[in-house]
Amino acid sequence: MADDTIDLFVGLIETIDTPGAVDAYRQFLSANERARADRFMFERHRRQYIFAHAMLRLALSHVAPNVAPSDWSFDTGRYGRPFVASPATALHFSLSHADGCVACVVSRHEAVGIDVETVSRRVAPLSTALRFFAPEEVETLRGLPEPDATQRFFDYWTLKEAYLKARGFGLNLPLDGFAMQVSQKAIEISFKPDIADDPDGWRFSLSSPSPSHRLAIADGSRTAGGLPISRHAWPLQDAAE
């Protein structure tokens, strides 16, 4: 891993969930993580949690191969953002999962975030946007026909969530406090006057891991042109060995 890189790991559950995979990945989790997995009411949620948190551990160890996947421990910051508690490392991460997909990014820059959403679920773009989004985003959605409005809605949603994760504020920063502008040329962000942030310091990317998923990455490293993203095939060859 180069110092100025975002390492991206994305896995579709259908390609991960092979016979014996859950038990193999479960072995990488801490006792607390295994206990939390066991508390899920639905089996699909339990399996998704196991795959996502095992992916994070394996991804960190892929970037820092001197640390075994089971040796990472985590804590949370003031607003609930998880971080590596031990061993001491310069690595930062962001983790996301939706029905059928798990994803994470690892970087030496703290201000990185990722979000993945299932775009096949039913949603009312305009009514949801009216509740949560900035006025500029609502007006853009009003002017789009279906299914373009639904696609742009998920662009906005994933980009906003990725930004919030990168800032580490969670929902303590309202979704209507900043607006995304998406075009073929660029993805940009703007802020209300009361939000102290520099829009020029952010770079964003959008992709579709599958026809059913939309994924966004927020890069607040302030690196000129943004950090290059290195995508790794998942599962890693040695992930479940």
Side-chain angles (χ1 to χ4, degrees), residues 51-75:
F51 288 134
H53 288 262
M55 167 187 273
L56 171 61
R57 291 173 170 276
L58 289 159
L60 287 167
S61 290
H62 183 80
V63 175
N66 57 315
V67 182
S70 58
D71 287 347
W72 298 99
S73 65
F74 308 101
D75 204 343

Side-chain angles (χ1 to χ4, degrees), residues 200-219:
D200 293 333
W202 289 91
R203 297 292 181 271
F204 299 90
S205 67
L206 285 165
S207 62
S208 297
S210 84
S212 299
H213 299 95
R214 197 64 164 153
L215 182 150
I217 296 174
D219 167 12

Side-chain angles (χ1 to χ4, degrees), residues 133 139 145:
F133 287 3
E139 288 308 306

Side-chain angles (χ1 to χ4, degrees), residues 117-133:
E117 299 290 338
T118 305
V119 299
S120 57
R121 62 186 172 90
R122 292 184 179 181
V123 66
L126 190 56
S127 62
T128 304
L130 284 167
R131 292 177 58 198
F132 297 110
F133 287 3

Side-chain angles (χ1 to χ4, degrees), residues 216-240:
I217 296 174
D219 167 12
S221 64
R222 269 68 176 173
T223 301
L227 296 172
I229 298 172
S230 178
R231 179 164 181 161
H232 300 272
W234 195 269
L236 296 172
Q237 186 174 3
D238 58 349

Side-chain angles (χ1 to χ4, degrees), residues 34-110:
R34 290 194 293 270
R36 182 174 178 184
D38 292 339
R39 290 196 293 269
F40 281 97
M41 181 179 298
F42 297 106
E43 176 67 12
R44 73 178 188 277
H45 294 156
R46 183 179 72 87
R47 299 172 87 85
Q48 183 171 281
Y49 176 90
I50 290 172
F51 288 134
H53 288 262
M55 167 187 273
L56 171 61
R57 291 173 170 276
L58 289 159
L60 287 167
S61 290
H62 183 80
V63 175
N66 57 315
V67 182
S70 58
D71 287 347
W72 298 99
S73 65
F74 308 101
D75 204 343
T76 55
R78 177 181 177 184
Y79 298 107
R81 179 179 182 171
F83 63 89
V84 175
S86 68
T89 180
L91 296 181
H92 304 276
F93 68 87
S94 181
L95 177 67
S96 183
H97 50 86
D99 283 345
C101 186
V102 292
C104 71
V105 287
V106 178
S107 175
R108 297 189 187 280
H109 294 267
E110 183 176 6

